[in-house]
Amino acid sequence: MVEQRRGVIAPQPRRPERRRPSRVVIMRRRFLATGVLLAAVIGLGFAIAGVRGTDGKKTSTTPVAAKPFRIIFPEGFTRLDMAARVNIVSGIAKRERGKTPLLNERGYLAATDGRRFIAGFGRRRLEGFLFPATYQFTARTTSVRLVDAQLKAFHRNWKTIDLGYARSKQLTPYDVLTIASMVEKEAVAPDERAKIARVIYNRLHHRMKLGIDATIRYAFHVPGTKSLLDSQLNSDNPYNTRTRLGLPPTPIANPGLASIQAAAHPVAGDWLYFVRKPDKVHHFFTASEREFINYKNAHGFG
């Protein structure tokens, strides 16, 4: 027995001496450690930078969202025009991606049918409120979601419009939107939008029929490349502004911001008539019915 004293550590049994590993064993251990370290570094590289495919291009190790498609609705498109555009673009998406998008013509027509409450306008049909712009969609985007995006875009743009002048002329916000839709369909040269709006304001003030053929084309779905029939021009259709006083019952298209601004702020002028010039871009404006008739006859519009 060995006596243990306070403050003194008892001696420990001596361990047997370990043999120093041979040079070959040391080299093997170093090689193994290097391999483990290299594997860790490579694994980290995969996690951060991704991997490269057989073609040498880097591919992500995490799923990448598919690039969305774009759908463009030009200013002046009607609800039916937009539905047709949806059908075309969805077909392209199907061919290019091999997947059938949820967005389709039938769904878009259903989503835009009927009346809906529009803040500041009451319950209205959606013609005029489907803001024309470029929108993105994926295979999972529904027609309802696209229409909601268009309505939100409309509200964002509408908030920028000062309606003070239009209200002074006893015009409602819906009246302004309806006038904007007619301006959009009639104007070709951008600087004539406010002039066409002024003609509409002036004719309303004088209680004259507007006589805008674009409203008749809307009622009978007649494209601008086709002539209107006498039966259509003389019809009692609510959209016939040749035979009925006042504005048509709804907008006849979905106007862009420039036409809405023109409808809210027409340029000053006494014009009551306008007719397309031979260049098919600009219009001849006048306050005289005689000048209007003479110009039409001189250019073969009589």
Side-chain angles (χ1 to χ4, degrees):
M1 296 289 294
V2 178
E3 181 182 359
Q4 295 189 16
R5 300 178 183 177
R6 184 176 298 178
V8 179
I9 300 176
Q12 302 298 316
R14 186 175 181 179
R15 296 178 180 177
E17 295 184 1
R18 299 179 60 183
R19 294 181 60 186
R20 181 181 179 83
S22 66
R23 185 178 182 84
V24 174
V25 173
I26 293 174
M27 292 300 294
R28 286 178 179 173
R29 290 177 179 175
R30 288 179 179 176
F31 181 78
L32 180 60
T34 302
V36 171
L37 179 61
L38 181 60
V41 171
I42 292 175
L44 181 61
F46 277 125
I48 295 176
V51 298
R52 295 184 180 273
T54 56
D55 57 357
K57 295 181 179 180
K58 184 163 60 175
T59 59
S60 176
T61 58
T62 57
V64 178
K67 183 179 179 181
F69 284 95
R70 295 191 308 163
I71 185 166
I72 301 173
F73 294 132
E75 292 88 348
F77 259 32
T78 66
R79 166 179 167 263
L80 296 181
D81 293 332
M82 290 179 173
R85 176 62 58 89
V86 165
N87 185 54
I88 293 171
V89 176
S90 294
I92 294 173
K94 182 178 180 180
R95 289 194 299 271
E96 291 190 2
R97 298 282 171 85
K99 293 183 179 180
T100 302
L102 294 178
L103 190 64
N104 58 70
E105 182 177 16
R106 182 177 179 180
Y108 187 85
L109 288 174
T112 55
D113 194 19
R115 297 176 181 270
R116 183 184 299 197
F117 178 80
I118 306 292
F121 296 87
R123 288 188 62 81
R124 300 289 182 181
R125 294 192 177 278
L126 295 190
E127 192 79 273
F129 298 99
L130 301 169
F131 197 75
T134 299
Y135 298 90
Q136 293 186 338
F137 74 96
T138 66
R140 299 180 63 83
T141 302
T142 64
S143 296
V144 170
R145 185 175 176 182
L146 174 59
V147 172
D148 286 344
Q150 289 184 268
L151 296 178
K152 289 178 181 178
F154 171 81
H155 284 297
R156 283 196 304 270
N157 285 274
W158 186 260
K159 288 179 181 178
T160 67
I161 303 299
D162 180 2
L163 295 174
Y165 180 78
R167 289 195 180 100
S168 73
K169 301 300 179 182
Q170 287 73 54
L171 294 174
T172 68
Y174 197 59
D175 291 337
V176 173
L177 185 61
T178 302
I179 293 172
S181 72
M182 291 188 285
V183 170
E184 194 71 77
K185 297 302 287 186
E186 289 290 330
V188 179
D191 61 348
E192 290 187 353
R193 290 190 178 102
K195 282 187 174 183
I196 293 174
R198 172 53 66 187
V199 171
I200 295 172
Y201 270 65
N202 289 345
R203 292 179 77 89
L204 288 172
H205 175 73
H206 290 289
R207 293 193 60 78
M208 298 171 65
K209 297 182 180 69
L210 297 182
I212 294 180
D213 288 349
T215 63
I216 307 174
R217 293 184 180 280
Y218 178 79
F220 294 101
H221 309 294
V222 180
T225 56
K226 187 177 179 180
S227 298
L228 290 167
L229 303 175
D230 287 340
S231 60
Q232 295 167 337
L233 293 171
N234 298 316
S235 70
D236 193 38
N237 189 287
Y239 288 89
N240 190 344
T241 53
R242 284 197 179 201
T243 59
R244 289 184 172 234
L245 282 171
L247 297 170
T250 71
I252 61 170
N254 295 280
L257 182 59
S259 290
I260 295 174
Q261 289 174 332
H265 303 281
V267 68
D270 62 353
W271 312 291
L272 291 171
Y273 306 89
F274 66 91
V275 62
R276 187 73 54 86
K277 290 183 177 180
D279 66 2
K280 298 183 179 181
V281 175
H282 299 88
H283 291 84
F284 171 75
F285 293 85
T286 180
S288 167
E289 182 179 15
R290 173 50 55 190
E291 287 184 359
F292 172 68
I293 293 174
N294 289 342
Y295 189 91
K296 287 178 63 179
N297 291 336
H299 294 87
F301 298 129

